[in-house]
Structures are given as structure tokens and as C-alpha cells.
């Protein structure tokens, strides 16, 4: 059985969000009164993957708002936490777990990836081999996910840095099904 349908995602998050700052921030010759946030990309998520706590929040909000770190450092606590909550919510996407995991899945990308002369509008993912699982296990976090997605999709890893957070989670969730003991996979 080769099912080409992605697992159903519960997608209730807006692609963008504007937060009006409780206290405007002045930096250089500009005054910032709001943050325009958008869904993070996989490559951006790697910037804060090794950080914890407020350092991770600051790096994440800076990356997806386009504001320099000195601006984000001046935010009041409630503003940074509001912004960080929105950004982090993209890593927590509910995936309906199928009773049987297809050996292949096509994931239509929310935002096409352009890399060199190629444009990727979908990722065709397949069950990883044992060797690919070993390589996946050698890396951590988002870097590991990008490595395995590249290996099973034939899309260059560097291009995958442009994946949206929700597409990264959907692809990673599909592939993680093969690590869960007792979960049946398609037509092995």
C-alpha cells in the first residue's frame, strides 16, 4: 500500500500575528511599537534549538520578527512571552496518528522551496532504511530531522532549511512513526 496522503493536521494557527508592544522600544533612530511575527523556517529554528529559556525566546522572536536582538532585549516580559508563545506553538502541531503508517507519503508544502534552479512544491517521503535511522540517531533535534528528511526525500538538506515549521513537524511526525515499536507500516 502506497498512500500518498499526508496525515491530517489540526492547523488552527494563523500564519502571521502582530503584537502591539505594551512599552515601545527605541533602538538607534527607530521606535518599535509592534512586532510582526510569522511562521518560523526550519533553518531559523536551528538557531535557537540549542538554547534554553529566555535566550531561546529572544533568538526565536528576533528571527521571525526581523527585529535585531537589541530591540528584543528591551521588550517587557509579557511581550517577549506573548511573542515566544506564538513562535513556539508551531512546534506543537497535532497530527492524527493513522492505524497503519503508509510506506510512502507526499506532503504538499505550505510554501514552495526554491533552491538553485529547482522549486519543491511537495516532499515525497518514504520509510527510512536502517542505515538512515543510524545516521538520524547521530544528530540531535531539528538537525536530525532535516538530515532524515533529506535522506528519504532526495531534497538537498540545505534546501530543507527553508521548510516552514508546520511542514517540518508534519514530515518529522510521519518519519517518527517508524521509530514507535508496534506501529504497523504499509506493505513491508
Amino acid at each position: 500500500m502506497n498512500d500518498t496522503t499526508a496525515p491530517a493536521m489540526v492547523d488552527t494557527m494563523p500564519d502571521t500575528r502582530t503584537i502591539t508592544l505594551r512599552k515601545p522600544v527605541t533602538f538607534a533612530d527607530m521606535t518599535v511599537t509592534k512586532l510582526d511575527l510569522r511562521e518560523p523556517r526550519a533553518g531559523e529554528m536551528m538557531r535557537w534549538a540549542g538554547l534554553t529559556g529566555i535566550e531561546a525566546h529572544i533568538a526565536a522572536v528576533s528571527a521571525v520578527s526581523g527585529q535585531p536582538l537589541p530591540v528584543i532585549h528591551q521588550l517587557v516580559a509579557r511581550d517577549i512571552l506573548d511573542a515566544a508563545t506564538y513562535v513556539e506553538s508551531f512546534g506543537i502541531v497535532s497530527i492524527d496518528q493513522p492505524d497503519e503508517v503508509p510506506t510512502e507519503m507526499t506532503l504538499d508544502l505550505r510554501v514552495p522551496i526554491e533552491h538553485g534552479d529547482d522549486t519543491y512544491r511537495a516532499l515525497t517521503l518514504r520509510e527510512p532504511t536502517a542505515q538512515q535511522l543510524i545516521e538520524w540517531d547521530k544528530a540531535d533535534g531539528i538537525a536530525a530531522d532535516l538530515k532524515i528528511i533529506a535522506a528519504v526525500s532526495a531534497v538537498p538538506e540545505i534546501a530543507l532549511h527553508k521548510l516552514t515549521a508546520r511542514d517540518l513537524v508534519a514530515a518529522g511526525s510521519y518519519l517518527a512513526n517508524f521509530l514507535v515499536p508496534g506501529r504497523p507500516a504499509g506493505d513491508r
Side-chain angles (χ1 to χ4, degrees):
M1 171 181 149
N2 274 346
D3 186 350
T4 59
T5 306
M9 292 181 66
V10 178
D11 187 1
T12 58
M13 283 169 289
D15 292 338
T16 61
R17 180 173 176 211
T18 298
I19 295 177
T20 301
L21 300 180
R22 290 171 176 85
K23 180 180 175 190
V25 172
T26 303
F27 174 70
D29 60 348
M30 67 177 179
T31 299
V32 179
T33 60
K34 64 180 180 159
L35 293 178
D36 292 316
L37 305 170
R38 60 166 174 71
E39 181 173 359
R41 303 279 192 229
E44 292 169 332
M45 293 168 72
M46 290 179 65
R47 291 185 205 164
W48 65 81
L51 302 175
T52 59
I54 193 67
E55 288 180 331
H57 295 326
I58 289 168
V61 172
S62 176
V64 301
S65 69
Q67 293 293 339
L69 287 171
V71 168
I72 307 304
H73 283 143
Q74 294 182 57
L75 294 179
V76 296
R78 288 183 294 166
D79 287 341
I80 189 68
L81 292 176
D82 285 351
T85 298
Y86 168 77
V87 173
E88 290 175 355
S89 68
F90 289 99
I92 306 169
V93 178
S94 175
I95 305 289
D96 292 338
Q97 295 297 325
D99 290 332
E100 186 172 294
V101 180
T103 58
E104 187 174 279
M105 179 190 86
T106 299
L107 174 66
D108 292 325
L109 299 177
R110 298 177 57 77
V111 177
I113 297 172
E114 294 184 12
H115 181 70
D117 293 335
D118 297 316
T119 299
Y120 302 96
R121 292 180 174 14
L123 295 177
T124 300
L125 305 168
R126 60 176 172 67
E127 183 173 1
T129 65
Q131 182 59 44
Q132 289 167 333
L133 291 175
I134 291 168
E135 293 303 314
W136 188 8
D137 194 46
K138 289 180 183 177
D140 290 319
I142 295 166
D145 291 344
L146 292 174
K147 183 176 290 305
I148 191 69
I149 294 166
V152 302
S153 71
V155 173
E157 187 175 337
I158 192 72
L160 293 172
H161 284 234
K162 298 175 186 175
L163 272 176
T164 65
R166 286 177 275 190
D167 287 340
L168 174 66
V169 170
S173 294
Y174 165 75
L175 293 168
N177 282 307
F178 297 105
L179 301 177
V180 179
R183 168 127 6 235
D187 58 352
R188 289 195 226 201

